Amino acid sequence: MSIDIPRTAITIEEVAAAAGVSRSTVSRVVNGSTAVSPAALEAVRQAISELNYVPNRAARSLASRATMAIALVVPEDTSRFFGDPFFAAIVSGINKRLSRSDYVLNLIVASDDPQDKATAYLRSGAVDGAIVVSHHTSDTFIDRIAAAVPVVYGGRPLREREHDHYVDVDNVAGGRVATEHLLGRGRRRIATITGPLTMHAGVDRLTGFREALAAAGLAEVAVEDGDFTSDGGAAAMQRILDAGQPFDALFIASDLMVRGALPVLARAGLRVPDDVAIIGFDDSPVARSVTPHLTTMRQPSLAQGECMADVLLAMLSGGEPPYVTILDTELVVRDST
């Protein structure tokens, strides 16, 4: 008498390996999701057929518990978030992309997470993935979120790891081009107000500034941190004036900081651009609301938001988007130089 010994059931991991895709992609195909590329769909179906895979009903039930929600995590206080046009453009870009998908956006604004409330919520299965923008070296709670759900960063993380996905602009090139523009206007005593040096955007724009000065054989007059806020720009501008070193130009690493710096210069009797040429960064609505209208480096914030959403959606559908996406900046010349 012969006894038929049943073959061990094929697992979803074996199907994923045979199809050359992730486990989550197989789950989406099995559960009828449309968020899968045609090539991945065909590869999974072929592997299922060849392996004679029969989905486990309990596993399918668990796998289908997608929330269809994505979190936008902003590790800043609410005044910074609602007062900075950069965030409005980022949210618009993300929402524009998600409007063409089945996902909804949850917004979490938190300067830190001392009681782990936001972290616990995001790790509880309340969202399928997260986009994190404006993160600092001190934001260690983000690491715990990234250990639980797929994460895309807006801007290069300072604690960058091999498999981090992020979308950024070329801040080094932006800082360099901005400074070269001032040099091209004949300015030789150039100071800068940086963003926070706990963020790569602040560090990289300062690096570009210094590269341009070094190539011209010049030394920086002053470097002050303005923290990307209007008040921070005003305080940094006052510190530069108090230092007493003459300057004829400023590279200020955000338009908001320029808005804070301009009244301080006016009170000191310095005219823009006659006495001091100024270039900002962002090309936010602030650039056209100040007087004189601001020469600035345009960063494509709306496109950044769309691209971050694209990368995360690709991750959630089992695709393999690029780990790093870098967008270009553009010089916009107006009256302040």
Side-chain angles (χ1 to χ4, degrees):
M1 178 191 301
S2 63
I3 300 176
D4 291 330
I5 300 176
R7 187 194 186 285
T8 303
I10 296 295
T11 66
I12 193 170
E13 286 79 9
E14 289 175 292
V15 175
V21 299
S22 69
R23 184 186 190 281
S24 61
T25 298
V26 178
S27 294
R28 284 179 172 77
V29 172
V30 167
N31 288 283
S33 171
T34 59
V36 181
S37 70
L41 178 63
E42 178 57 30
V44 171
R45 285 176 173 170
Q46 184 173 340
I48 288 173
S49 175
E50 291 176 353
L51 296 174
N52 197 26
Y53 171 65
V54 178
N56 178 279
R57 290 188 177 182
R60 286 188 62 175
S61 174
L62 289 171
S64 65
R65 287 168 55 188
T67 66
M68 305 311 293
I70 286 172
L72 172 61
V73 183
V74 185
E76 299 285 356
D77 59 38
T78 52
S79 62
R80 167 88 197 279
F81 176 79
F82 289 107
D84 193 332
F86 168 77
F87 294 116
I90 288 290
V91 173
S92 294
I94 294 171
N95 194 58
K96 181 179 178 182
R97 177 61 187 89
L98 293 187
S99 68
R100 305 193 302 271
S101 76
D102 295 327
Y103 287 87
V104 296
L105 185 65
N106 291 347
L107 174 63
I108 296 177
V109 182
S111 57
D112 52 31
D113 196 19
Q115 275 124 26
D116 260 5
K117 288 195 296 184
T119 306
Y121 171 75
L122 293 170
R123 289 172 61 92
S124 71
V127 300
D128 296 330
I131 296 170
V132 179
V133 297
S134 195
H135 43 290
H136 303 253
T137 50
S138 58
D139 298 323
T140 55
F141 73 97
I142 299 299
D143 295 336
R144 298 193 294 280
I145 296 171
V149 297
V151 166
V152 175
Y153 296 93
R156 180 160 59 106
L158 273 168
R159 297 189 305 276
E160 185 180 351
R161 293 161 296 196
E162 183 181 359
H163 298 300
D164 283 340
H165 288 82
Y166 66 86
V167 177
D168 204 356
V169 299
D170 193 338
N171 286 298
V172 174
R176 185 171 56 248
V177 169
T179 309
E180 289 170 347
H181 174 71
L182 295 173
L183 292 167
R185 289 291 198 259
R187 309 299 170 129
R188 291 296 180 267
R189 299 186 303 276
I190 307 176
T192 186
I193 297 176
T194 75
L197 300 183
T198 57
M199 301 175 66
H200 256 305
V203 173
D204 289 349
R205 291 172 198 179
L206 176 59
T207 297
F209 166 77
R210 285 175 165 162
E211 286 180 358
L213 286 184
L218 298 173
E220 63 207 30
V221 172
V223 175
E224 291 289 345
D225 181 348
D227 77 7
F228 284 151
T229 68
S230 183
D231 288 345
M237 189 70 263
Q238 190 62 58
R239 291 195 298 272
I240 290 174
L241 290 170
D242 291 345
Q245 295 296 320
F247 59 93
D248 59 12
L250 284 162
F251 166 44
I252 302 182
S254 80
D255 296 348
L256 264 185
M257 294 195 295
V258 175
R259 187 170 69 184
L262 285 172
V264 179
L265 287 170
R267 287 195 297 270
L270 295 173
R271 298 164 301 165
V272 178
D274 298 2
D275 301 315
V276 181
I278 296 181
I279 187 168
F281 205 107
D282 287 333
D283 195 31
S284 68
V286 171
R288 294 174 296 280
S289 69
V290 297
T291 303
H293 289 177
L294 182 63
T295 295
T296 187
M297 296 302 302
R298 176 180 294 154
Q299 64 169 331
S301 303
L302 186 74
Q304 281 178 268
E306 287 190 80
C307 190
M308 284 184 272
D310 265 333
V311 172
L312 185 56
L313 290 173
M315 293 169 67
L316 294 176
S317 69
E320 296 182 0
Y323 288 112
V324 178
T325 303
I326 303 295
L327 305 179
D328 291 330
T329 58
E330 177 188 354
L331 174 66
V332 180
V333 180
R334 297 194 180 94
D335 302 328
S336 65
T337 56

